[in-house]
Amino acid sequence: MDSALFTKIAKVLADPQRFAILQRIAKDSECPCIKIVEEFPITQATISHHLKELAGAELVEVRREGKCAHFSLRRETLDAYQAELAARLSGLSVGSGKTSE
Amino acid sequence: MDSALFTKIAKVLADPQRFAILQRIAKDSECPCIKIVEEFPITQATISHHLKELAGAELVEVRREGKCAHFSLRRETLDAYQAELAARLSGLSVGSGKTSE
DNA sequence: CGGACAGTTTGATACCCGTCTATGTTGTTT
DNA sequence: AAACAACATAGACGGGTATCAAACTGTCCG
């Protein structure tokens, strides 16, 4: 995973509201946008913004169905992020090929 | 893990420079503050600020030895964070006992 | 077609925070 | 004690961003 995506994911996860939205999406296999708007105490515009960030970080997938949008968690990205996080803090050098330092 | 610490860790990990510092600390079993100041292109004051945040998120431990401070990674906290992250996005209800929804 | 609904985009505002300079504090050395 | 070194703290500044209201785009239905 490249550093740009890694940082983007970390930033996306750092906002409590945005993470709560992601958590809500993860709860079901697929979650309509309307449901999130109904359940959260923030404006629909703000939610749209957060969902765009989540999609930009490749953490959610969007499926359009007429005028409705359905979101689902991309567990592959989440797994890759966790693996990268563990790898970068494992104490082993990961970036280059030098293992003797 | 309580939500306050969870959020604090997520925010602490979100800044690239701060994460780089944490990564540097993780590289050795213990890392003196001076070494970080020498190796990073930011002011000593800023580094001190970041280290305080890292300690506040319980991600690093500080050992004072005279006028020197030595930092080490708290892998327990990192592991707990990763476990919490996975749990919150696993799709299972964790907060209450209802598993049928 | 026209209105109602779902979502996006835009512009503005306010707040958070990373960074700096300058100064303070604590420990060591001469 | 004075001076220096390692680190902490205070205040200020600038950039990023979460949030909102309002306007816009696209879709469905009569």
Side-chain angles (χ1 to χ4, degrees):
Chain A
M1 169 179 298
D2 65 302
S3 278
L5 183 59
F6 182 72
T7 299
K8 191 179 290 187
I9 293 176
K11 287 191 176 183
V12 160
L13 294 178
D15 181 70
Q17 292 277 22
R18 190 163 42 208
F19 183 83
I21 292 175
L22 184 63
Q23 202 170 350
R24 175 62 188 85
I25 292 175
K27 196 177 139 199
D28 300 341
S29 60
E30 215 180 40
C31 182
C33 183
I34 282 222
K35 204 139 191 133
I36 304 174
V37 174
E38 286 171 354
E39 296 181 7
F40 282 82
I42 50 183
T43 308
Q44 182 269 333
T46 302
I47 290 179
S48 181
H49 165 64
H50 282 322
L51 288 171
K52 190 179 178 182
E53 295 288 314
L54 286 168
E58 302 178 16
L59 276 171
V60 301
E61 193 161 357
V62 198
R63 183 176 64 87
R64 311 268 170 190
E65 182 182 341
K67 52 184 178 180
C68 264
H70 298 259
F71 295 89
S72 55
L73 174 66
R74 292 184 60 174
R75 300 192 183 275
E76 13 149 4
T77 305
L78 184 65
D79 291 345
Y81 173 71
Q82 292 220 68
E84 184 79 12
L85 183 63
R88 293 198 184 200
L89 297 178
S90 66
L92 306 172
S93 26
V94 190
S96 58
K98 26 180 206 174
T99 53
S100 58
E101 187 181 350
Chain B
M1 169 179 300
D2 66 301
S3 279
L5 183 59
F6 182 73
T7 298
K8 192 180 289 187
I9 294 176
K11 287 191 176 182
V12 159
L13 295 179
D15 182 69
Q17 292 276 23
R18 190 163 42 208
F19 184 82
I21 292 175
L22 184 63
Q23 202 170 349
R24 175 62 187 82
I25 292 175
K27 197 177 136 198
D28 299 342
S29 59
E30 216 180 40
C31 181
C33 182
I34 283 224
K35 203 138 191 136
I36 303 174
V37 173
E38 286 172 353
E39 297 182 6
F40 282 83
I42 50 183
T43 310
Q44 177 269 328
T46 302
I47 291 179
S48 181
H49 165 66
H50 283 322
L51 287 171
K52 190 178 179 182
E53 296 287 315
L54 286 168
E58 301 178 18
L59 277 170
V60 301
E61 193 161 357
V62 198
R63 184 176 64 86
R64 311 270 169 189
E65 182 183 341
K67 54 182 177 181
C68 265
H70 298 259
F71 295 89
S72 55
L73 174 64
R74 292 184 60 175
R75 301 193 183 273
E76 13 149 4
T77 304
L78 184 66
D79 291 345
Y81 173 71
Q82 294 221 69
E84 184 79 13
L85 183 63
R88 292 198 185 200
L89 297 178
S90 66
L92 307 172
S93 25
V94 189
S96 60
K98 31 181 202 175
T99 54
S100 58
E101 187 181 351

